[in-house]
Structures are given as C-alpha cells and as structure tokens.
Amino acid sequence: MMMKIRMAHSLVLPLLMAAAAAGAQVPTARPTPAPAGAVPNDGYRLAPDDEVEVTIFGQGPGQVVKTRVKSDGTITLPFLGAVQVRNQTARELAADIAARLRSGGYFVKPVVNVEVTQFVSSSVTVFGEVGTPGIYPLDLQLTVGMTLARAGGTRGTSADYAILKRVGDPVEHRILLSDLSGEWSAATLLEAKDTLFVPVAPVIYVYGQVNSPGSFPLKTGMTVRQALARAGGPTLAGSTRNVTIFRDGEKLKKVDLDGELKAEDSVFINEKWL
C-alpha cells in the first residue's frame, strides 16, 4: 500500500547572484527553525494552510486524498481519521501514516509516500530583476544568495543589491549582493513570508570629452573616477581637472574624482584649458 502526498508548488510573482547565482531556475527554499519552517537537510515542514495530496496503496487501487492542513495542524485520512502533521516533513508523515495503518491492522505492509501541492505556511516571495520571479517554499536553510540562485540569478539590468522586507520589521534592508558576511548580507538566512526584491540598476550619464560616452549602471559606491574609466577615460582633449556634475538640477563644478556618484548624475568632461 503506497501513500503519496504530492507537493506541487505554485509560482506566483514574476524575483542574485552572491554565492554562485548565474543559472539555476528551480523553485524551492527555507530557513527558520520554527515549527512552520524547515530544518537543515530535512525538507519542508508542514504547517496550517499547506495543501497535501495523499495516495494510499494496499491490496487494491490506491486511495487518493487531497486536503489542506487545518488550523490545529491535522488532516483527515481514511481509516485513521484526524492525523497530526504539523512540523513533519513529507517523509516523516509517510512513515507515521504507514505505522498507524500497520498497527491498526488495516494493512499488513502499507507503503506510504508524501508530497505537497501548495506551500503556504513557509515560503518567500522573490521578484524584480531575476530570472524566475515567484513564490519559493523554504524546504532548506537558504540564504539570500542561494534563494536568488534558485530564482535564476539576477538579470543584466539588475542593481547590485536586493531589498529584503520581513514581516514585523519596519526597515527595508538593502543587501549588497557581493557582501557574503554580516547580519544583512547575501549570507543572511531567509524566514517564512520574507519578500526579496531586486530592483533595476540606477543609471548615470557620462559625456563630453570621453572615449565612450553614454549611460551606465550605477554600482554601489561608484566614484567619479570609476565612472570615467567605465566611459573609456578622457580623450586627448579632455581633462579630469575640468569635470562638471549635474545633480538634481544643480551644477557642481568642484568635483572630487574620488567622490561617490548618485543615481541620475550626469558627468561632463570639459576640454583642457589652453
């Protein structure tokens, strides 16, 4: 007798790198140690509102039960009635059901398999400039970087940071994806109901006496000197001593080449003074 609980997960939203993210497009993820969460290497743990599909095979055709976990953490199954499933993985639940069927004398050698059709209690939302935005179940202890990797990594148009919003926390945490340490970094473990957003990269404009004028993505901490290098450096007629920045409607003439740029800054390289 085989019991199969199928966990087909549903992608909803159309949301990096940091920790090896350039490719995988497989949805699944989770860290918190709470009952509604997951334990390292142990899989997704069931909680109220998750949906499961159970198939029981015995001497004849299998019996299929598709049901949602109730607020008290139970589901109702043939022969057994109410079964407590809270905080169990699919594998643990399958073994528990098989043992109950065996001890109750319903089947001699019951075989039970379990999966989930909807991950509701322990999931995170990933959207923005990522390969596969969606809702990802937390079936492992996953970091920001690992989750973005599962979401297909970041796009070429993405910023070099993500915004993490956590239930009950009024602060929107800006996470630099190249930062692999610290409380709020690509190594931060996600919790149930976290929202991870990767915005489009802000831009700057570099023109005048440079070899490759144009608009460029603004990297965190980018300086005027780095922007000039990104634009191919000054031409023979250009001078790094005569740089103008247009910012928020103002014209800045005293420019520090090591000063940081802001989104939508326009950097103009003037000609050399003769």
Side-chain angles (χ1 to χ4, degrees), residues 237 242 271-274:
N242 192 7
E271 293 183 358
K272 293 178 180 178
W273 293 316
L274 299 178

Side-chain angles (χ1 to χ4, degrees), residues 89-135:
T89 65
R91 179 178 299 180
E92 290 169 347
L93 179 57
D96 180 45
I97 294 171
R100 289 169 181 259
L101 292 171
R102 195 165 44 245
S103 64
Y106 302 108
F107 301 98
V108 178
K109 293 182 179 180
V111 178
V112 179
N113 254 342
V114 176
E115 274 183 55
V116 181
T117 52
Q118 287 188 23
F119 302 83
V120 177
S121 65
S122 300
S123 61
V124 295
T125 299
V126 187
F127 66 108
E129 297 300 296
V130 295
T132 310
I135 295 178

Side-chain angles (χ1 to χ4, degrees), residues 224-245:
V224 177
R225 193 186 305 278
Q226 291 171 331
L228 294 180
R230 181 69 178 81
T235 64
L236 292 177
S239 172
T240 56
R241 295 184 178 181
N242 192 7
V243 178
T244 302
I245 291 179

Side-chain angles (χ1 to χ4, degrees), residues 92-210:
E92 290 169 347
L93 179 57
D96 180 45
I97 294 171
R100 289 169 181 259
L101 292 171
R102 195 165 44 245
S103 64
Y106 302 108
F107 301 98
V108 178
K109 293 182 179 180
V111 178
V112 179
N113 254 342
V114 176
E115 274 183 55
V116 181
T117 52
Q118 287 188 23
F119 302 83
V120 177
S121 65
S122 300
S123 61
V124 295
T125 299
V126 187
F127 66 108
E129 297 300 296
V130 295
T132 310
I135 295 178
Y136 289 78
L138 293 174
D139 59 351
L140 298 170
Q141 280 197 318
L142 292 183
T143 64
V144 170
M146 293 165 67
T147 303
L148 290 175
R150 286 192 166 192
T154 58
R155 298 174 182 167
T157 54
S158 72
D160 59 355
Y161 62 89
I163 304 297
L164 174 60
K165 185 74 176 87
R166 180 160 289 169
V167 175
D169 187 348
V171 178
E172 293 186 347
H173 300 278
R174 175 170 166 156
I175 294 178
L176 188 61
L177 299 180
S178 60
D179 183 5
L180 300 179
S181 63
E183 182 180 4
W184 300 104
S185 68
T188 297
L189 292 175
L190 291 180
E191 297 181 359
K193 296 181 174 59
D194 277 355
T195 298
L196 198 58
F197 171 63
V198 181
V200 174
V203 296
I204 55 170
Y205 307 90
V206 184
Y207 59 106
Q209 295 298 323
V210 289

Side-chain angles (χ1 to χ4, degrees), residues 6-18:
R6 190 171 181 178
M7 311 163 61
H9 115 245
S10 104
L11 291 177
V12 176
L13 278 166
L15 208 309
L16 315 141
M17 190 212 108

Side-chain angles (χ1 to χ4, degrees), residues 74-84 100 106:
T74 65
I75 61 173
T76 302
L77 296 175
F79 309 114
L80 302 179
V83 176
Q84 180 60 242
R100 289 169 181 259
Y106 302 108

